Amino acid sequence: MSVIREHFDILSDGREVEKITLVNGNGTAVSLLTLGAALQSFRFNGVDIVLGFDRAEDYFSSGAYIGTTVGRVCNRTADGCFVLNGQTYHLVCNEPDRRVHLHGGAVGFDKKLWDYDVVREDSDACVAFTAFSPDGEEGYPGNLELKVTYTLTERDELKLEYEAATDADTPVNLTNHAYFNLNGCNGGKVHNTYLCINAEEYTPVTERLVPTGEYASVANTALDFRTAKPIGDALDHEDDTMQYTGGVDHNFVLSRTRGDMREAAVAFSPDTDIRLRCFTDLPGIQVYTGNFLDEPGGKYGLRWGKHQGFCLETQYFANSINQPNFPNIVIKAGGAYKSCTIYSVSMDGKE
C-alpha cells in the first residue's frame, strides 16, 4: 500500500487544498481531498468510476455536492426548522424554492477545509479527516467534533467510518455524496447499469422532495430494485413514485431501526464488468440518479448532464428530526455518533 500526498489547488482566499491518494497492491487507487473530505477519484482496473473536479473552486460553484462529505444533517429538512428540547431551531434554507434545508446548509461540511492524518493499519492505509462545527453554525445547536476515516483495503474495499461528538443535544446525519458511473466517469448515462437494492420499502416524498412520514412498499412500482434491473428501466418507465423527482431520488428503507452491517445495494456495468457492492450499518440509503446534474467543468475536461452518475448515500432518513416514526438522529450532550459504510469493487465473477 502506498500513500501519495500532493498539492491539489489554491482556494480564492489563499488556502491550500491537498490531495491524498491511496494505492493498494492491485493498483486500485482512491484520491481524497482536504476540501469537503471529498472522494475525488476511485480508479479500479484502469477505470475511474466516480465523478469529480480538477479545480477546488468548482466544488464551491457546483450545487451537486460531488464526492463530498455532507452534514451536519444530510438530505432535506422541511421548512429549515425543528424543535428540540422545547426550543425551535431555524436552519438556513438553501433550497428556498422548496423551503428546505439541504445537506447542511449554505456552508456545510462539503465546503470545509478538513485537517487530516495518514494512519497505517497492518497492510491497509487510512486517511483520517477531522473538522469542527461550532455552536450555531447554519443554525445547529452545540459544538461538534468530526472525524471521517477512509480506508482502502487490499480486497478493493473503500471503508468510510464517521464519528462525531457534541457538547449539546443536536441532530447528526452524515453521508458521502459520491456519484458513481461504473462505465467510467466518461461513460455517458447510467441507464444500462444494473442495480439491486435490498429494501422492501421506501419513504414517499411530497412535491418539495421531503418525505411524507409514511412507509410504502416498493412492490409494483418503478422503485422495485429487489431483483437487479437496469437503472434505465425505472427512468424510462416512471410512475407516480417519481412524480416530483425526475428520476430516482428516494430513501430506501433497509431497516426501520439502526442495525448491523448489511449489504444495502449492488450495481453492475455490463460495459466494464465492474461490480460495486455497498454495505452499511445505517437504516437507509438514498439512491439518486443525477436527475439535476449539469456540470460543465468536470475532471479530464468532461461535462456531465442528467443521469450520468448515481449516488448510494447511506443515511438516516430525510427529515427524521421532524418525523417521530423515523429513526432518531439526535445525539445527546456528551454522546457520540458512529457509522460505517463500505464500497467494495470487483470484476464480475471475481469477488
Side-chain angles (χ1 to χ4, degrees):
M1 183 76 67
S2 63
V3 180
I4 304 166
R5 312 183 201 201
E6 58 189 314
H7 168 80
F8 178 72
D9 202 359
I10 298 290
L11 294 172
S12 58
D13 60 10
R15 292 180 298 165
E16 181 184 13
V17 178
E18 295 182 69
K19 180 167 74 171
I20 307 96
T21 301
L22 307 179
V23 185
N24 70 12
N26 304 320
T28 300
V30 295
S31 291
L32 312 164
L33 302 180
T34 52
L35 178 60
L39 174 60
Q40 190 260 353
S41 176
F42 191 161
R43 184 169 289 276
F44 172 71
N45 201 44
V47 180
D48 190 350
I49 61 172
V50 298
L51 311 190
F53 295 111
D54 285 330
R55 296 176 59 251
E57 289 298 332
D58 289 333
Y59 284 93
F60 281 92
S61 61
S62 170
Y65 302 90
I66 289 182
T68 59
T69 298
V70 293
R72 184 175 300 195
V73 172
C74 68
N75 218 311
R76 292 178 172 89
T77 301
D79 300 311
C81 70
F82 61 91
V83 177
L84 182 59
N85 300 330
Q87 181 175 344
T88 299
Y89 292 91
H90 295 279
L91 309 175
V92 175
C93 280
N94 53 318
E95 275 198 342
D97 292 345
R98 294 192 176 103
R99 304 191 317 281
V100 299
H101 171 86
L102 175 66
H103 289 329
V107 185
F109 297 167
D110 61 299
K111 303 294 193 297
K112 284 185 178 291
L113 200 60
W114 295 58
D115 296 320
Y116 77 96
D117 287 305
V118 174
V119 183
R120 291 191 177 274
E121 293 185 1
D122 300 323
S123 61
D124 301 332
C126 311
V127 178
F129 292 96
T130 55
F132 176 71
S133 177
D135 177 42
E137 185 173 60
E138 298 295 309
Y140 289 102
N143 296 299
L144 196 71
E145 299 280 353
L146 298 157
K147 185 177 182 180
V148 179
T149 303
Y150 289 85
T151 303
L152 177 63
T153 75
E154 293 294 342
R155 298 177 300 280
D156 296 324
E157 299 166 331
L158 180 61
K159 181 187 297 185
L160 286 70
E161 296 170 285
Y162 302 87
E163 299 175 60
T166 180
D167 61 1
D169 293 4
T170 191
V172 175
N173 191 8
L174 306 175
T175 195
N176 182 277
H177 211 296
Y179 288 76
F180 293 96
N181 190 328
L182 303 186
N183 302 327
C185 62
N186 61 344
K189 295 184 182 292
V190 298
H191 286 61
N192 73 332
T193 298
Y194 281 76
L195 179 64
C196 176
I197 305 169
N198 295 317
E200 301 285 336
E201 297 177 306
Y202 73 102
T203 50
V205 297
T206 68
E207 70 278 3
R208 297 161 63 194
L209 306 188
V210 175
T212 62
E214 303 167 291
Y215 295 96
S217 172
V218 299
N220 302 313
T221 75
L223 300 179
D224 190 349
F225 286 94
R226 291 174 296 176
T227 299
K229 68 179 181 182
I231 291 173
D233 280 9
L235 300 180
D236 296 337
H237 300 90
E238 293 188 1
D239 58 19
D240 290 344
T241 62
M242 292 191 279
Q243 180 178 359
Y244 307 116
T245 57
V248 183
D249 190 6
H250 296 77
N251 169 66
F252 289 79
V253 180
L254 304 173
S255 173
R256 293 195 182 188
T257 59
R258 177 74 178 266
D260 298 326
M261 290 292 291
R262 63 178 74 82
E263 185 178 75
V266 182
F268 168 72
S269 166
D271 286 357
T272 60
D273 283 341
I274 294 175
R275 186 176 299 276
L276 172 71
R277 302 171 70 194
C278 175
F279 302 84
T280 189
D281 57 2
L282 291 170
I285 183 169
Q286 183 86 11
V287 178
Y288 174 52
T289 51
N291 312 321
F292 305 110
L293 265 181
D294 183 15
E295 300 298 331
K299 61 188 177 184
Y300 314 127
L302 297 169
R303 62 179 303 133
W304 297 299
K306 185 175 182 179
H307 300 157
Q308 288 190 257
F310 66 93
C311 302
L312 301 175
E313 305 164 61
T314 56
Q315 56 164 17
Y316 285 90
F317 310 160
N319 203 36
S320 282
I321 190 66
N322 293 313
Q323 294 291 354
N325 59 324
F326 282 2
N328 179 36
I329 64 169
V330 174
I331 302 176
K332 306 298 287 184
Y337 170 99
K338 290 187 177 182
S339 72
C340 179
T341 293
I342 297 173
Y343 297 109
S344 175
V345 289
S346 63
M347 298 303 292
D348 190 39
K350 299 178 181 178
E351 298 293 340

